[in-house]
Amino acid sequence: MKTLAKEHNSFTATRDPGTGNWDLTETASSGWTQPYPNQGVFLSSTYFDLAGMSMDEKTLFFKGALVQDVYNPYTIAGAPGDSIGVVDLMSTRSLSADEIFFFLVNGNLQGPGSSTLTYHETVYGRVNQFVTTLDTGNWGSMSLLGSHQLGSMKPTASDRIYSYRIVSADGQMTSLNLSGCRHILAADAKEEAEYEYLMRLKRSYELQQSYDED
């Protein structure tokens, strides 16, 4: 069994209390971007390179997935009711910022505001909701309100698994700090019958062509 890991760095963002505009502190946020200018949405993306296994014509069968992180987000000048959503997502195809953001709204389920990402394309997803409470407001550390997991763990012949972390913030805080994290996949690489492998490879190729951006 192979254990694969990809890291997303910590980040810091600030909010102007006068305009409400958000800004990413780039010197403390390596690898992070702000897909919607001035809004409190921040994105980090990378991918697992599986080209070696695809060259050996092997299929990846997932056995487990998890996210390792260090501590809860913390804020400066936060107020009770401030909230953030944090999505950790691993998928078999590349996603646009809109698709990842809508995963925060409705996951990979059908309904208003749904992502176009399907259940089968979702290897693993976790949505955490954090809030500032009366008890922790002065301390600055946010409290975990809920944690929800989605994903199919379906086998893949793709040469990449895409790894994303997106944060959406709302509230009166003037600074938001998030620790780094590690996305981990445990999987077996096995050979399949030729027909099954070719069909899986065809599907992986179609997904790669739908939207692919390094």
Side-chain angles (χ1 to χ4, degrees), residues 110-123:
Q110 297 297 313
S114 293
S115 172
T116 56
L117 183 69
T118 68
Y119 165 74
H120 295 288
E121 296 165 351
T122 310
V123 177

Side-chain angles (χ1 to χ4, degrees), residues 122-191:
T122 310
V123 177
Y124 175 78
R126 186 186 75 174
V127 181
N128 280 353
Q129 298 167 290
F130 295 92
V131 296
T132 298
T133 68
L134 288 171
D135 293 331
T136 63
N138 290 331
W139 178 23
S141 179
M142 304 187 83
S143 300
L144 180 63
L145 182 65
S147 183
H148 311 274
Q149 301 178 64
L150 297 162
S152 68
M153 304 288 286
K154 297 282 287 185
T156 182
S158 175
D159 61 356
R160 289 182 179 184
I161 298 297
Y162 295 88
S163 172
Y164 301 100
R165 176 166 251 210
I166 193 166
V167 178
S168 178
D170 182 44
Q172 302 302 309
M173 67 198 86
T174 58
S175 179
L176 172 64
N177 301 271
L178 191 73
S179 73
C181 80
R182 184 178 296 114
H183 289 182
I184 295 178
L185 290 171
D188 285 331
K190 298 180 180 180
E191 293 184 0

Side-chain angles (χ1 to χ4, degrees), residues 21-57:
N21 290 342
W22 283 88
D23 189 31
L24 190 64
T25 307
E26 295 183 2
T27 55
S29 311
S30 177
W32 284 86
T33 62
Q34 198 170 1
Y36 311 112
N38 300 323
Q39 305 301 306
V41 178
F42 310 95
L43 172 65
S44 174
S45 60
T46 184
Y47 61 86
F48 298 86
D49 188 351
L50 310 177
M53 282 176 273
S54 63
M55 288 177 64
D56 291 337
E57 297 185 353

Side-chain angles (χ1 to χ4, degrees), residues 76-128:
I76 295 176
D82 286 359
S83 65
I84 69 167
V86 181
V87 171
D88 292 284
L89 180 60
M90 290 168 264
S91 67
T92 55
R93 70 174 173 88
S94 181
L95 303 173
S96 68
D98 286 348
E99 287 179 300
I100 304 167
F101 178 75
F102 282 122
F103 192 90
L104 181 61
V105 177
N106 208 29
N108 56 11
L109 303 173
Q110 297 297 313
S114 293
S115 172
T116 56
L117 183 69
T118 68
Y119 165 74
H120 295 288
E121 296 165 351
T122 310
V123 177
Y124 175 78
R126 186 186 75 174
V127 181
N128 280 353

